[in-house]
Amino acid sequence: MSKTTTEILVFKPTPPAPAPIAATGIVHWLHKNLFDGWFNSILTILCLGILAKAVPPVVSWAIIDANWTGGPDACATSDGACWAFIVAKFRVLMIGTYPQEFMWRPLAAGILLAGVVAATVSGCCKARYLSGLWPALFVVALWLIGGGAGLQTVDQSMWGGLMLSVGLAAVGILISIPLGILLALGRQSKLVGVSAPCIGFIELIRGVPLITILFMASVMMPLFLPEDMQINNLLRVQIGIILFSSAYIAEVVRGGLQAISRGQTDAAKALGLHPWMITCFVVLPQALRHVLPSLIGRCIALFKDTSLVIIVGLLDFLGMAKAASQDQIWLGNDAEGYVFCAVVYWCICFGMSRYGRALEKRGPKHNH
């Protein structure tokens, strides 16, 4: 018997050759993004020239030649920014003309707000707990800032600064989102008695600017109230902001509802789910995930729109900066106040934007 020997050859894989230097590193990135063609190269050179012309004076004004300490006299002899103005007016910019002896109350409310925001952003607290934690926070914060129930009352005319802007935006967001969802669902309803009022409200609010609504809420609303019914100006303005924001959020949510395929609802009906269960647990969660970037955008816009309350006599963050710059001993420091406001606005809006991005990446399993 012959014996056949099979020789097995083992091939070792050849390691891949390293990428050419021209395809990696900073040189490749610059070529691909800034100097890819003659047109992009010319634009890059022009932009670099503009930056070289504009950045050094700004850095010199804001940092190198800036005055960080001292009083108005020290700022008068300096060619740079007078950040001492921000230091001197910091309390006013934060809480307005709120009595100094009660400063601990808005400070305590701010610490509670920071804690709830941290719990929300970190995702360590489930949504069902947050839905009760946020309303409880606003009740406690209103009690601390406004007084009553054992605390001395502070009139709402003394509220102002960043505290007022954040308060108006936070309450507006908390109420306008669920109200906007209800309006969107009502507009999609097949019942004319439900859809017609929702459509009329949404189209009416979206057809007028926010300034008009704030003016109507502040000036015209008291004329239609009973004589024995008094609503303070701040509450009327807050109602106007909520109504304005909810109409726009309703249209955002309606776009998400239309993006859900009919097969989703048909499958849920085949399982025997009740219509309200289909809406709450099948359609609405998917619709909200579709429009999450737009919802965050509306929240950012609402926060920035609070600066319009100055037209009805409320001094928010931006309004308080303008009022502080009119102080006789600090005249001429408008730019510093507006730059400080811009930086604070940007930080808050950027934080909201990053939180929205985190929600998009977090996934459904974290949202129960």
Side-chain angles (χ1 to χ4, degrees):
M1 179 182 294
S2 62
K3 189 174 184 180
T4 305
T5 303
T6 304
E7 185 178 358
I8 301 176
L9 299 178
V10 178
F11 295 95
K12 293 183 179 180
T14 304
I21 297 178
T24 58
I26 186 65
V27 176
H28 172 69
W29 185 89
L30 290 173
H31 179 268
K32 180 180 179 181
N33 294 276
L34 300 179
F35 297 96
D36 184 15
W38 66 269
F39 184 71
N40 287 341
S41 300
I42 293 176
L43 288 180
T44 299
I45 294 173
L46 289 176
C47 291
L48 290 175
I50 294 174
L51 290 176
K53 191 73 174 176
V55 171
V58 173
V59 173
S60 177
W61 176 81
I63 300 176
I64 299 176
D65 297 331
N67 190 350
W68 301 87
T69 58
D73 296 335
C75 291
T77 59
S78 174
D79 295 331
C82 182
W83 300 122
F85 164 72
I86 301 299
V87 175
K89 297 294 184 179
F90 186 77
R91 184 183 69 87
V92 175
L93 294 174
M94 292 297 105
I95 61 175
T97 58
Y98 200 87
Q100 188 170 0
E101 62 270 21
F102 299 140
M103 275 187 59
W104 66 270
R105 288 157 57 172
L107 180 61
I111 293 174
L112 292 176
L113 175 63
V116 175
V117 169
T120 303
V121 172
S122 63
C124 63
C125 191
K126 294 184 178 180
R128 60 175 175 266
Y129 300 138
L130 290 175
S131 61
L133 192 59
W134 276 100
L137 167 68
F138 290 131
V139 171
V140 174
L142 182 62
W143 169 65
L144 285 172
I145 297 174
L151 294 178
Q152 183 172 338
T153 303
V154 178
D155 190 77
Q156 59 90 19
S157 62
M158 296 182 179
W159 303 8
L162 185 62
M163 175 184 71
L164 180 61
S165 297
V166 172
L168 289 172
V171 175
I173 292 171
L174 181 72
I175 299 179
S176 63
I177 288 181
L179 182 57
I181 293 174
L182 292 177
L183 287 171
L185 293 175
R187 182 164 188 165
Q188 297 286 91
S189 175
K190 296 180 181 179
L191 300 176
V192 178
V194 176
S195 61
C198 293
I199 294 173
F201 172 81
I202 293 172
E203 297 302 330
L204 176 64
I205 297 296
R206 293 176 69 219
V208 294
L210 178 58
I211 293 178
T212 303
I213 294 178
L214 294 179
F215 181 78
M216 294 288 291
S218 179
V219 179
M220 301 300 295
M221 184 183 292
L223 301 178
F224 298 96
L225 296 177
E227 294 183 359
D228 56 343
M229 184 177 181
Q230 299 292 331
I231 301 178
N232 64 55
N233 190 33
L234 179 60
L235 180 56
R236 297 197 300 269
V237 168
Q238 182 72 82
I239 293 173
I241 292 175
I242 291 172
L243 296 179
F244 181 82
S245 178
S246 62
Y248 281 87
I249 289 177
E251 288 300 280
V252 171
V253 175
R254 185 170 71 93
L257 294 173
Q258 292 178 340
I260 305 301
S261 64
R262 188 171 180 82
Q264 296 283 331
T265 57
D266 291 341
K269 290 178 181 178
L271 294 175
L273 296 180
H274 195 274
W276 72 266
M277 296 182 67
I278 296 175
T279 301
C280 294
F281 300 110
V282 178
V283 176
L284 194 56
Q286 297 183 68
L288 293 178
R289 288 191 62 82
H290 280 306
V291 299
L292 187 56
S294 299
L295 279 177
I296 296 298
R298 283 306 314 163
C299 294
I300 293 174
L302 173 59
F303 173 64
K304 293 187 293 185
D305 286 343
T306 57
S307 60
L308 296 176
V309 300
I310 189 175
I311 67 170
V312 291
L314 298 178
L315 294 180
D316 68 312
F317 188 38
L318 193 62
M320 195 58 67
K322 182 178 179 180
S325 65
Q326 303 302 315
D327 191 340
Q328 291 296 325
I329 64 174
W330 290 103
L331 287 176
N333 295 301
D334 306 65
E336 288 84 351
Y338 291 138
V339 168
F340 178 70
C341 289
V343 171
V344 174
Y345 271 112
W346 183 86
C347 290
I348 295 176
C349 294
F350 182 73
M352 295 170 68
S353 175
R354 298 306 300 173
Y355 175 61
R357 291 286 296 168
L359 283 180
E360 293 178 46
K361 298 177 180 179
R362 187 172 293 177
K365 63 181 179 180
H366 295 276
N367 296 330
H368 34 237

